[in-house]
Amino acid sequence: MSRLAQRSGPPAARREGEEDDVCPVCKSSRYLNPNMRFLVNPECYHRIKNKFRKQTFEDIQVEREVDIRRRVAEVFNRREDDFNSLLDYNNYLNDVEDITYNLINKIDLDESERKLASYASRNQQTISLNVQKSLQESQNREARQVLEKEQARIRREAARREEQEEKRDREEGRRDVINMLASSDGDASRIAREGQQAVLKRSKTRQAAIQKQQQALSSDSSNGAPNGGFFIQGLKTKVEPVDEGPYDPFQGFSDKRKYFVQQNRYAWDRLDRLQKDTNWTAGGYDFREFCSRTLCEAFSGLGVFIGEEVTRTDPAFVGSVATVAAAEAGAGSKDIMMEDPF
Amino acid sequence: MKFNIEDLPVLFPYPRIYPEQYAYMCDLKRTLDAGGHCVLEMPSGTGKTVSLLSLIVAYQQYYPEHRKLIYCSRTMSEIEKALAELRGLMKYRAEQLGYEEDFRGLGLTSRKNLCLHPSVKREKSGSVVDARCRSLTAGFVKEKKERGEDVDLCIYHENLDLLEPHNLIPAGVWTLDGMLQYGEQQKQCPYFTARRMMPFCNVIIYSYHYLLDPKIAERVSKELSKDCIVVFDEAHNIDNVCIESLSIDLTEDALRKATNGATKLDRKIMEMKSTDAAKLQNEYAKLVEGLREADEARDDGAFMANPALPDDLLKEAVPGNIRRAEHFIAFLKRFVEYLKTRMKVLHVISETPPSFLQHLKELTFIEKKPLRFCAERLTSLVRTLELSNIEDYQSLQEVASFATLVATYDTGFLLILEPYESESATVSNPVLHLTCLDAAIAIKPVFDRFSSVIITSGTISPLEMYPKMLGFTTVVQESYSMTLARRSFLPMIVTRGSDQGDISSGFQIRNDPGVVRNYGNLLTEFAKLTPDGIVVFFPSYLYMESIISYWQGMGILDQVWKYKLILVETPDSQETSLALETYRTACSNGRGAVLLCVARGKVSEGIDFDHHYGRTVICIGVPFQYTESRILKARLEFLRETYRIKENDFLSFDAMRHAAQCLGRVLRGKDDYGIMVLADRRFQKKRGQLPKWINQALLDSDTNLSVDQATATARKFLKTMSLPFPARFQEGISTWSAEDLAKHKAKLEEEKIRELQHGSGDRHVHGQDVIREAEGEFDEEGIDDAMMELDA
């Protein structure tokens, strides 16, 4: 019989009622063993003092319900902005809740499971997308919380410092006055008054400085946040623009050949021979360039239908059209009208 | 008497008027003309209510808009007093005008106070009365009856339906007592008469809560039009009322009851499904459309309303996952279970609503949005199920309100879980506080909705604190001093004992035997010299108890006992009222008594010690709040961060407003007199925070006295008070007859002409000028001569 007693940590004060907890398996009770810990089986939801996992909720039904909900929530994670209207969203929520309710209360269990599974398989992509989104959101939220906490701490510190300074100023002022009274032989009341005024003046200038500082603090954060814990509500979460990739000056034009694929090597004796001849290669001449040009010339003109072009374009330009078209065809581009002929 | 303020003819139901009353009225009119809010501080006992009522009624009757007056006060007795004043005023107006104006003034208080049903009215608890009344008067009960089912109805309520709906009660002003009598005669329910007649009233007088508590306000006060004039009287505590109305405390017991309530609801739903599924389906169909539509038939008998939901939310449809009744119940159960889990933590936790919501979502998959609709959804469900014994669901409703509030407000609220009642407790008794930190949230709808809101009290200094805390701007902000023909009250600050030792309730020295003895001496001395009653205020029950036991050991109580009877306030209200009654009897029988009470207790607010019931009030120690409270700490932090109010400033302000309230208890009129003793070294620096009228009467020489000096000063003061002082000495100075007023106006006119000749002139009559002038007269006339004549 395995016994999992909680050895570490002081025994916490217990509320009444827990004393009567008895393990249904070994019949030992909390009265005899105050450190005993009850755990729940996530399959049958029986409370046994044995392995399994820690119980969160007092009500076992709720414990089970939450587990089911976790499963459902992992699949049905549509967001409000996925829907055209609020009504649609609400209807969706209603349907999901129906399925969940059925799963929890074991009504049409098979049917509901089937629904869940089929939705999961059909919408894998959106599900993972929404998971990412909510992950992002929670990260943002955490970051904001950390920021807010930090700012609150700074403000608190500033307030404390301010208080201390004020106190010190006051005391200094008093000391000054006493010193003055002791050393000079002027009118006592006048000296006292002047001393007071000096303190007042100092505190005023300090207050102004602090105010300025606070204004700076509250204005420097984006989103107008921490002016006393205020931040703007209801900002639409920005949709990240789709990644467009690096800038492409040719706007999708590529020099890939359409009609042929150039090989690195062509079995042709003459070419092989020349390639080995230093007279030819010394100048840096690349034979691939030669092949490319030859192939290009061979295929240029394919896919060009002059008859069509003639009827489409202004008769005045007919002459030039063919060449342009040919050049383009030679370049192997799908986009024939890419370039202005002039 | 009858006079004009600018073009407005005012009928004032007394032959004489105090200068400050006139000034107050002038400023009120200025506020109403300008159409904005104002804060006015008028010394206690100078007839604030009657000046307010007579000016506003005159304003209503004279101008064609006939703006309605909503007058809010704190306690039932204050409401009754105001109604009586209004009644007197209307009687006087009828006499003067020669005809009865078409005018209605009604007061509204809880069902418990206005019930006539023979068995329901015998219930002791207010919520039980409410619940039983609902079960007898709700709309569906009547429907059932009509269908021939055997259900009980309240005959008093039924009779109302036989009357014309806009004329349930004859015109005139009805006090609460009067309503009860009329209701008994006509066999009609006074509570519903008042509720239903509210749209037809010129003046409504009720408690703050009907306007501030969102749970009630939505229901009772939503039909009031925008141009109503709203008055908050005795408003020095208004920020606390606001905060309390939005704060919810949950205990384990409440959660258990909530679970039971949810289970019971579940059963009811099952029953209804088998008997009358169409009804549930009907509700469902309505909820698809939106809450407002579903709620069109909000009637008197309904359940409780939602707390402070923004209007746009109400128009939105209920989230799909709580639309079905059974889904919603499962939702509630899950939420309650979650709260129970939170309660198991054995250390203090304080967190913001967003962090609470996040954790909630992680654990139970409850989203913020359905949580926001919780309270409203529950109301709708309860109505659909036609439940009659609503008290079973009270806790569940509390949880639902909690849910709605926590999901609605990101800032201005804090959740604090306190597992132990006190620091030394070992058995946990957890309480989850959802505490509102921002008083402005509850009162904001009032300021937004009504164009003129008047906040007034006897002690509301410093005035600028209130607009800051409640988030509004004022057009007029004024504090009036008291015009007196003689110095009729003596404020003093006692800082030292006779042995020159400092006295203070500061926690370092509060239990010092020397300090305790000095306080004891102070009490003994004043018990010797004061005629009739003495009221002593302590900062807290705890401190009072410890001091009393010290005094008992030192034999001080025995000494006081020789001169006065000693009575003590306790937290139990019945014991306290018994003590008060005995105190009054003792004072009336000549020997007098000492009442020891607490500055934040029941006695300090709303109980008057006029004339011989209070000749001396002693404030022992500065009544600071218990600063270790976590809720207070959170609020202080919030105030500093949001409104830039420093902790110490707020604590000091709060302590001084309570001290001022205590002092104001003894002076309830111009013919009254009394001594006010502030016994703490620290009061010296806080002098500026006292209301203007007290501060002005406090001489510089009286701000740093020892006990023996204070005794001597008080003796001298009482001697002058004992001289006969006929009313005629006050004439023209602290009371004005019609001629005096005319003289004053002529003088003002002259001044204005002079000013106009010199250039710019202000068209309005300013209250402060009036007071200044009156005080000027006080100096000029020289009361001493008159006194000498009298002596001779």
Side-chain angles (χ1 to χ4, degrees), chain A residues 12 15 56-57 59 62 65-66 69-70 86 90-91 94 97-98 101 141 155-156 166 228-229 233, chain B residues 252 284 319-321 323-324 326-327 334 337 341 344 363-365 410-411 428 637 640-641 646:
Chain A
R15 284 179 273 288
T56 321
F57 295 99
D59 188 342
V62 172
E65 180 180 341
V66 166
R69 275 181 192 280
R70 181 166 299 121
L86 185 67
N90 279 334
N91 289 340
N94 198 156
E97 193 65 28
D98 275 335
Y101 190 80
R141 200 170 37 232
R155 273 199 303 268
R156 229 190 329 260
E166 206 173 287
Q233 278 260 295
Chain B
E252 279 197 320
Y284 176 82
N321 46 2
R323 249 192 239 159
R324 264 189 225 294
E326 58 269 28
H327 293 171
R334 210 156 12 118
E337 278 308 312
T341 312
K344 284 187 186 143
L363 237 62
T364 61
F365 301 94
D410 279 352
T411 53
S428 75
E637 173 127 14
R640 195 191 59 228
E641 305 238 311
K646 276 194 226 155

Short mmCIF file of all heavy atoms in Angstrom, two decimals, chain A residues 12 15 56-57 59 62 65-66 69-70 86 90-91 94 97-98 101 141 155-156 166 228-229 233, chain B residues 252 284 319-321 323-324 326-327 334 337 341 344 363-365 410-411 428 637 640-641 646:
data_model
loop_
_atom_site.label_atom_id
_atom_site.label_comp_id
_atom_site.label_asym_id
_atom_site.label_seq_id
_atom_site.Cartn_x
_atom_site.Cartn_y
_atom_site.Cartn_z
N ALA A 12 -0.76 23.00 7.85
CA ALA A 12 -1.55 24.24 7.79
C ALA A 12 -2.78 24.11 8.67
O ALA A 12 -3.25 23.03 8.95
CB ALA A 12 -1.97 24.48 6.36
N ARG A 15 -9.60 23.69 8.24
CA ARG A 15 -10.96 24.06 8.57
C ARG A 15 -11.70 22.80 9.01
O ARG A 15 -11.33 21.71 8.61
CB ARG A 15 -11.64 24.68 7.37
CG ARG A 15 -11.17 26.09 7.16
CD ARG A 15 -11.82 26.70 5.95
NE ARG A 15 -11.10 26.41 4.73
CZ ARG A 15 -9.93 26.95 4.40
NH1 ARG A 15 -9.38 27.82 5.21
NH2 ARG A 15 -9.34 26.65 3.29
N THR A 56 -7.82 20.66 -7.33
CA THR A 56 -7.91 22.12 -7.26
C THR A 56 -9.22 22.56 -6.64
O THR A 56 -9.27 23.46 -5.82
CB THR A 56 -7.82 22.72 -8.68
OG1 THR A 56 -6.87 21.99 -9.41
CG2 THR A 56 -7.44 24.18 -8.61
N PHE A 57 -10.28 21.90 -7.06
CA PHE A 57 -11.59 22.37 -6.63
C PHE A 57 -12.18 21.44 -5.58
O PHE A 57 -11.92 20.24 -5.59
CB PHE A 57 -12.55 22.46 -7.81
CG PHE A 57 -12.12 23.48 -8.81
CD1 PHE A 57 -11.45 23.09 -9.94
CD2 PHE A 57 -12.37 24.81 -8.60
CE1 PHE A 57 -11.03 24.03 -10.86
CE2 PHE A 57 -11.97 25.75 -9.51
CZ PHE A 57 -11.30 25.37 -10.65
N ASP A 59 -15.35 20.79 -5.29
CA ASP A 59 -16.39 19.99 -5.93
C ASP A 59 -15.76 19.14 -7.04
O ASP A 59 -15.23 19.66 -8.02
CB ASP A 59 -17.45 20.93 -6.50
CG ASP A 59 -18.65 20.17 -7.01
OD1 ASP A 59 -18.51 18.95 -7.23
OD2 ASP A 59 -19.71 20.79 -7.18
N VAL A 62 -16.87 19.74 -10.59
CA VAL A 62 -16.28 20.91 -11.24
C VAL A 62 -14.87 20.58 -11.72
O VAL A 62 -14.44 20.97 -12.80
CB VAL A 62 -16.28 22.12 -10.29
CG1 VAL A 62 -15.50 23.28 -10.89
CG2 VAL A 62 -17.69 22.55 -9.98
N GLU A 65 -15.32 18.81 -14.82
CA GLU A 65 -15.84 19.72 -15.83
C GLU A 65 -14.72 20.56 -16.41
O GLU A 65 -14.62 20.75 -17.63
CB GLU A 65 -16.90 20.63 -15.18
CG GLU A 65 -17.50 21.62 -16.15
CD GLU A 65 -18.54 22.51 -15.50
OE1 GLU A 65 -19.04 22.14 -14.43
OE2 GLU A 65 -18.84 23.56 -16.08
N VAL A 66 -13.85 21.04 -15.52
CA VAL A 66 -12.78 21.91 -15.98
C VAL A 66 -11.83 21.16 -16.89
O VAL A 66 -11.36 21.70 -17.89
CB VAL A 66 -12.05 22.53 -14.78
CG1 VAL A 66 -10.75 23.14 -15.21
CG2 VAL A 66 -12.91 23.58 -14.13
N ARG A 69 -13.44 20.96 -20.15
CA ARG A 69 -13.40 22.28 -20.78
C ARG A 69 -12.03 22.59 -21.36
O ARG A 69 -11.91 23.22 -22.40
CB ARG A 69 -13.77 23.37 -19.77
CG ARG A 69 -15.25 23.53 -19.66
CD ARG A 69 -15.67 24.60 -18.70
NE ARG A 69 -17.09 24.44 -18.48
CZ ARG A 69 -18.01 24.88 -19.32
NH1 ARG A 69 -17.66 25.53 -20.41
NH2 ARG A 69 -19.29 24.69 -19.06
N ARG A 70 -11.03 22.13 -20.64
CA ARG A 70 -9.68 22.38 -21.15
C ARG A 70 -9.54 21.73 -22.53
O ARG A 70 -9.04 22.33 -23.46
CB ARG A 70 -8.65 21.81 -20.18
CG ARG A 70 -7.22 22.06 -20.65
CD ARG A 70 -6.21 21.81 -19.56
NE ARG A 70 -6.43 22.69 -18.42
CZ ARG A 70 -6.67 22.28 -17.18
NH1 ARG A 70 -6.74 20.99 -16.93
NH2 ARG A 70 -6.85 23.13 -16.21
N LEU A 86 -21.72 39.93 -34.22
CA LEU A 86 -21.75 39.48 -32.84
C LEU A 86 -22.70 38.31 -32.68
O LEU A 86 -22.44 37.38 -31.92
CB LEU A 86 -22.19 40.65 -31.95
CG LEU A 86 -22.16 40.38 -30.47
CD1 LEU A 86 -20.73 40.18 -30.01
CD2 LEU A 86 -22.80 41.50 -29.71
N ASN A 90 -21.99 34.78 -30.99
CA ASN A 90 -22.77 34.28 -29.86
C ASN A 90 -23.37 32.91 -30.17
O ASN A 90 -23.41 32.04 -29.32
CB ASN A 90 -23.86 35.27 -29.49
CG ASN A 90 -23.32 36.39 -28.64
OD1 ASN A 90 -22.31 36.21 -27.95
ND2 ASN A 90 -23.95 37.54 -28.69
N ASN A 91 -23.81 32.75 -31.38
CA ASN A 91 -24.35 31.45 -31.76
C ASN A 91 -23.29 30.37 -31.69
O ASN A 91 -23.54 29.26 -31.24
CB ASN A 91 -24.95 31.51 -33.16
CG ASN A 91 -26.23 32.32 -33.18
OD1 ASN A 91 -26.85 32.51 -32.13
ND2 ASN A 91 -26.59 32.83 -34.34
N ASN A 94 -22.70 29.49 -28.20
CA ASN A 94 -23.82 28.68 -27.75
C ASN A 94 -23.63 27.22 -28.17
O ASN A 94 -23.80 26.30 -27.37
CB ASN A 94 -25.11 29.26 -28.34
CG ASN A 94 -26.34 28.79 -27.60
OD1 ASN A 94 -27.36 29.42 -27.62
ND2 ASN A 94 -26.23 27.63 -26.94
N GLU A 97 -20.90 25.59 -26.23
CA GLU A 97 -21.36 25.32 -24.87
C GLU A 97 -22.26 24.08 -24.85
O GLU A 97 -22.21 23.29 -23.92
CB GLU A 97 -22.09 26.55 -24.34
CG GLU A 97 -22.35 26.55 -22.85
CD GLU A 97 -21.10 26.59 -22.00
OE1 GLU A 97 -20.08 27.13 -22.47
OE2 GLU A 97 -21.14 26.07 -20.89
N ASP A 98 -23.06 23.94 -25.91
CA ASP A 98 -23.92 22.75 -26.00
C ASP A 98 -23.09 21.47 -26.01
O ASP A 98 -23.37 20.53 -25.28
CB ASP A 98 -24.77 22.82 -27.28
CG ASP A 98 -26.03 23.64 -27.05
OD1 ASP A 98 -26.46 23.73 -25.88
OD2 ASP A 98 -26.56 24.18 -28.03
N TYR A 101 -21.49 20.94 -22.65
CA TYR A 101 -22.50 20.54 -21.68
C TYR A 101 -22.81 19.06 -21.85
O TYR A 101 -22.91 18.31 -20.87
CB TYR A 101 -23.75 21.39 -21.87
CG TYR A 101 -24.77 21.23 -20.79
CD1 TYR A 101 -24.61 21.90 -19.57
CD2 TYR A 101 -25.90 20.45 -20.98
CE1 TYR A 101 -25.54 21.77 -18.57
CE2 TYR A 101 -26.84 20.31 -19.97
CZ TYR A 101 -26.66 20.97 -18.77
OH TYR A 101 -27.58 20.84 -17.78
N ARG A 141 0.40 41.03 -22.41
CA ARG A 141 -0.22 41.41 -21.16
C ARG A 141 0.80 41.32 -20.03
O ARG A 141 0.92 42.22 -19.20
CB ARG A 141 -1.40 40.50 -20.88
CG ARG A 141 -2.38 41.07 -19.89
CD ARG A 141 -3.65 40.27 -19.82
NE ARG A 141 -3.43 38.85 -19.96
CZ ARG A 141 -4.08 38.08 -20.84
NH1 ARG A 141 -4.94 38.61 -21.66
NH2 ARG A 141 -3.85 36.80 -20.90
N ARG A 155 7.17 55.28 -8.79
CA ARG A 155 6.37 56.38 -8.24
C ARG A 155 6.37 56.35 -6.73
O ARG A 155 6.48 57.37 -6.07
CB ARG A 155 4.93 56.27 -8.76
CG ARG A 155 4.73 56.94 -10.08
CD ARG A 155 3.25 57.19 -10.29
NE ARG A 155 2.50 55.93 -10.22
CZ ARG A 155 2.22 55.18 -11.27
NH1 ARG A 155 2.63 55.55 -12.46
NH2 ARG A 155 1.53 54.08 -11.16
N ARG A 156 6.22 55.13 -6.20
CA ARG A 156 6.18 55.01 -4.75
C ARG A 156 7.49 55.50 -4.14
O ARG A 156 7.52 56.24 -3.17
CB ARG A 156 5.97 53.54 -4.37
CG ARG A 156 4.86 53.38 -3.36
CD ARG A 156 4.80 51.99 -2.81
NE ARG A 156 5.22 50.96 -3.73
CZ ARG A 156 4.39 50.20 -4.43
NH1 ARG A 156 3.11 50.39 -4.35
NH2 ARG A 156 4.84 49.25 -5.21
N GLU A 166 11.31 66.68 2.21
CA GLU A 166 10.52 67.74 2.83
C GLU A 166 10.84 67.83 4.31
O GLU A 166 11.05 68.90 4.86
CB GLU A 166 9.05 67.44 2.62
CG GLU A 166 8.19 68.67 2.62
CD GLU A 166 6.77 68.31 2.24
OE1 GLU A 166 6.54 68.03 1.06
OE2 GLU A 166 5.92 68.29 3.14
N GLY A 228 -1.39 57.32 -13.13
CA GLY A 228 -2.27 56.83 -12.09
C GLY A 228 -3.01 55.59 -12.53
O GLY A 228 -4.20 55.47 -12.34
N GLY A 229 -2.28 54.67 -13.11
CA GLY A 229 -2.90 53.40 -13.45
C GLY A 229 -3.94 53.51 -14.55
O GLY A 229 -4.74 52.62 -14.73
N GLN A 233 -8.54 51.90 -22.91
CA GLN A 233 -9.21 50.63 -23.08
C GLN A 233 -9.75 50.54 -24.49
O GLN A 233 -10.05 51.54 -25.12
CB GLN A 233 -10.38 50.54 -22.10
CG GLN A 233 -9.95 50.13 -20.74
CD GLN A 233 -10.22 48.68 -20.54
OE1 GLN A 233 -11.35 48.25 -20.52
NE2 GLN A 233 -9.18 47.90 -20.41
N GLU B 252 -16.78 32.60 3.32
CA GLU B 252 -16.99 31.20 2.96
C GLU B 252 -18.45 30.82 3.10
O GLU B 252 -19.00 30.08 2.30
CB GLU B 252 -16.13 30.30 3.85
CG GLU B 252 -14.71 30.22 3.37
CD GLU B 252 -13.99 29.05 3.99
OE1 GLU B 252 -14.22 28.82 5.19
OE2 GLU B 252 -13.22 28.40 3.31
N TYR B 284 -34.94 32.65 -23.71
CA TYR B 284 -33.77 32.42 -24.54
C TYR B 284 -33.84 33.26 -25.81
O TYR B 284 -32.89 33.95 -26.18
CB TYR B 284 -33.69 30.93 -24.88
CG TYR B 284 -32.58 30.58 -25.82
CD1 TYR B 284 -31.29 30.40 -25.34
CD2 TYR B 284 -32.81 30.44 -27.18
CE1 TYR B 284 -30.26 30.09 -26.20
CE2 TYR B 284 -31.79 30.13 -28.04
CZ TYR B 284 -30.51 29.95 -27.56
OH TYR B 284 -29.49 29.65 -28.40
N PRO B 319 -23.77 37.07 -24.02
CA PRO B 319 -22.87 36.13 -24.68
C PRO B 319 -23.50 34.75 -24.82
O PRO B 319 -24.23 34.30 -23.93
CB PRO B 319 -21.67 36.07 -23.72
CG PRO B 319 -21.71 37.34 -22.98
CD PRO B 319 -23.13 37.75 -22.90
N GLY B 320 -23.20 34.11 -25.93
CA GLY B 320 -23.88 32.87 -26.26
C GLY B 320 -23.72 31.77 -25.23
O GLY B 320 -24.61 30.95 -25.05
N ASN B 321 -22.57 31.76 -24.53
CA ASN B 321 -22.36 30.62 -23.65
C ASN B 321 -23.08 30.71 -22.32
O ASN B 321 -23.00 29.80 -21.52
CB ASN B 321 -20.87 30.34 -23.46
CG ASN B 321 -20.11 31.61 -23.19
OD1 ASN B 321 -20.71 32.68 -23.11
ND2 ASN B 321 -18.82 31.49 -23.04
N ARG B 323 -26.38 31.95 -22.48
CA ARG B 323 -27.75 32.21 -22.89
C ARG B 323 -28.72 31.19 -22.32
O ARG B 323 -29.75 31.52 -21.80
CB ARG B 323 -27.80 32.14 -24.41
CG ARG B 323 -28.04 33.47 -25.07
CD ARG B 323 -28.34 33.18 -26.49
NE ARG B 323 -27.42 33.83 -27.40
CZ ARG B 323 -27.22 33.41 -28.65
NH1 ARG B 323 -27.82 32.34 -29.10
NH2 ARG B 323 -26.42 34.04 -29.44
N ARG B 324 -28.36 29.94 -22.45
CA ARG B 324 -29.24 28.89 -21.93
C ARG B 324 -29.16 28.86 -20.42
O ARG B 324 -28.07 29.00 -19.84
CB ARG B 324 -28.80 27.54 -22.48
CG ARG B 324 -29.56 27.13 -23.68
CD ARG B 324 -29.25 25.71 -24.04
NE ARG B 324 -29.04 25.57 -25.46
CZ ARG B 324 -29.98 25.76 -26.38
NH1 ARG B 324 -31.20 26.09 -26.02
NH2 ARG B 324 -29.72 25.61 -27.66
N GLU B 326 -29.41 26.44 -18.24
CA GLU B 326 -28.57 25.42 -17.61
C GLU B 326 -27.08 25.73 -17.80
O GLU B 326 -26.27 25.47 -16.92
CB GLU B 326 -28.92 24.01 -18.12
CG GLU B 326 -28.80 23.79 -19.61
CD GLU B 326 -30.12 24.07 -20.33
OE1 GLU B 326 -30.90 24.88 -19.81
OE2 GLU B 326 -30.36 23.47 -21.40
N HIS B 327 -26.75 26.32 -18.94
CA HIS B 327 -25.36 26.72 -19.14
C HIS B 327 -24.96 27.77 -18.11
O HIS B 327 -23.87 27.74 -17.56
CB HIS B 327 -25.16 27.31 -20.55
CG HIS B 327 -25.32 26.30 -21.62
ND1 HIS B 327 -25.36 26.63 -22.94
CD2 HIS B 327 -25.48 24.96 -21.57
CE1 HIS B 327 -25.51 25.55 -23.67
NE2 HIS B 327 -25.61 24.52 -22.86
N ARG B 334 -19.27 27.02 -11.44
CA ARG B 334 -17.86 26.99 -11.67
C ARG B 334 -17.19 28.21 -11.02
O ARG B 334 -16.16 28.10 -10.38
CB ARG B 334 -17.60 27.00 -13.18
CG ARG B 334 -16.39 26.30 -13.59
CD ARG B 334 -16.47 25.82 -15.05
NE ARG B 334 -17.56 26.36 -15.81
CZ ARG B 334 -17.39 27.12 -16.90
NH1 ARG B 334 -16.19 27.44 -17.30
NH2 ARG B 334 -18.44 27.54 -17.58
N GLU B 337 -17.09 27.83 -7.29
CA GLU B 337 -16.06 26.86 -6.90
C GLU B 337 -14.68 27.49 -6.97
O GLU B 337 -13.83 27.26 -6.12
CB GLU B 337 -16.10 25.63 -7.82
CG GLU B 337 -17.14 24.61 -7.44
CD GLU B 337 -17.07 24.19 -5.98
OE1 GLU B 337 -15.96 23.89 -5.51
OE2 GLU B 337 -18.12 24.19 -5.31
N THR B 341 -11.94 27.97 -3.99
CA THR B 341 -10.55 27.55 -4.07
C THR B 341 -9.63 28.68 -3.64
O THR B 341 -8.66 28.47 -2.92
CB THR B 341 -10.21 27.14 -5.51
OG1 THR B 341 -11.22 26.27 -5.97
CG2 THR B 341 -8.88 26.47 -5.60
N LYS B 344 -8.96 29.26 0.05
CA LYS B 344 -8.17 28.32 0.85
C LYS B 344 -6.76 28.81 1.12
O LYS B 344 -6.05 28.25 1.93
CB LYS B 344 -8.10 26.98 0.12
CG LYS B 344 -9.40 26.22 0.25
CD LYS B 344 -9.27 24.85 -0.32
CE LYS B 344 -10.60 24.16 -0.30
NZ LYS B 344 -10.79 23.34 -1.48
N LEU B 363 -7.71 28.84 -14.94
CA LEU B 363 -8.17 27.70 -14.16
C LEU B 363 -9.52 27.17 -14.59
O LEU B 363 -9.76 25.97 -14.55
CB LEU B 363 -8.22 28.11 -12.68
CG LEU B 363 -7.38 27.24 -11.76
CD1 LEU B 363 -5.92 27.34 -12.15
CD2 LEU B 363 -7.57 27.65 -10.33
N THR B 364 -10.43 28.05 -14.96
CA THR B 364 -11.81 27.59 -15.17
C THR B 364 -12.36 27.90 -16.54
O THR B 364 -13.51 27.60 -16.82
CB THR B 364 -12.74 28.23 -14.14
OG1 THR B 364 -12.67 29.65 -14.33
CG2 THR B 364 -12.36 27.89 -12.73
N PHE B 365 -11.58 28.54 -17.39
CA PHE B 365 -12.04 28.90 -18.73
C PHE B 365 -13.25 29.80 -18.70
O PHE B 365 -14.13 29.70 -19.53
CB PHE B 365 -12.31 27.64 -19.56
CG PHE B 365 -11.09 26.80 -19.68
CD1 PHE B 365 -10.86 25.76 -18.80
CD2 PHE B 365 -10.13 27.09 -20.62
CE1 PHE B 365 -9.71 25.02 -18.87
CE2 PHE B 365 -8.98 26.35 -20.69
CZ PHE B 365 -8.75 25.31 -19.82
N ASP B 410 -11.37 47.77 -14.67
CA ASP B 410 -9.97 47.37 -14.59
C ASP B 410 -9.25 48.15 -13.51
O ASP B 410 -8.39 47.63 -12.82
CB ASP B 410 -9.28 47.65 -15.93
CG ASP B 410 -9.55 46.56 -16.92
OD1 ASP B 410 -10.13 45.55 -16.50
OD2 ASP B 410 -9.21 46.72 -18.09
N THR B 411 -9.60 49.41 -13.40
CA THR B 411 -8.91 50.24 -12.41
C THR B 411 -9.92 50.74 -11.40
O THR B 411 -11.12 50.73 -11.64
CB THR B 411 -8.26 51.45 -13.08
OG1 THR B 411 -9.26 52.11 -13.84
CG2 THR B 411 -7.12 51.06 -13.96
N SER B 428 -8.55 30.20 10.54
CA SER B 428 -8.79 31.12 9.43
C SER B 428 -10.28 31.30 9.20
O SER B 428 -11.07 30.38 9.35
CB SER B 428 -8.12 30.61 8.17
OG SER B 428 -8.85 29.54 7.66
N GLU B 637 -3.02 54.55 -1.46
CA GLU B 637 -2.13 54.42 -2.61
C GLU B 637 -2.83 54.88 -3.88
O GLU B 637 -2.27 55.60 -4.70
CB GLU B 637 -1.71 52.95 -2.73
CG GLU B 637 -0.93 52.67 -3.98
CD GLU B 637 0.38 51.99 -3.68
OE1 GLU B 637 0.53 51.52 -2.54
OE2 GLU B 637 1.23 51.94 -4.56
N ARG B 640 -3.14 58.60 -4.02
CA ARG B 640 -1.90 59.28 -4.34
C ARG B 640 -1.60 59.16 -5.83
O ARG B 640 -1.24 60.12 -6.50
CB ARG B 640 -0.75 58.70 -3.53
CG ARG B 640 0.46 59.60 -3.57
CD ARG B 640 1.69 58.94 -3.01
NE ARG B 640 1.99 57.74 -3.75
CZ ARG B 640 2.27 56.57 -3.17
NH1 ARG B 640 2.29 56.47 -1.87
NH2 ARG B 640 2.54 55.52 -3.90
N GLU B 641 -1.83 57.98 -6.36
CA GLU B 641 -1.45 57.76 -7.75
C GLU B 641 -2.41 58.44 -8.72
O GLU B 641 -2.00 58.90 -9.77
CB GLU B 641 -1.44 56.26 -8.04
CG GLU B 641 -0.56 55.52 -7.09
CD GLU B 641 0.53 54.75 -7.80
OE1 GLU B 641 0.20 54.04 -8.75
OE2 GLU B 641 1.69 54.89 -7.39
N LYS B 646 -1.81 63.22 -1.08
CA LYS B 646 -0.81 62.49 -0.29
C LYS B 646 -1.48 61.73 0.85
O LYS B 646 -2.51 62.15 1.37
CB LYS B 646 0.19 63.49 0.30
CG LYS B 646 1.28 63.84 -0.68
CD LYS B 646 2.40 64.54 0.07
CE LYS B 646 2.84 65.78 -0.68
NZ LYS B 646 3.43 66.77 0.18
#
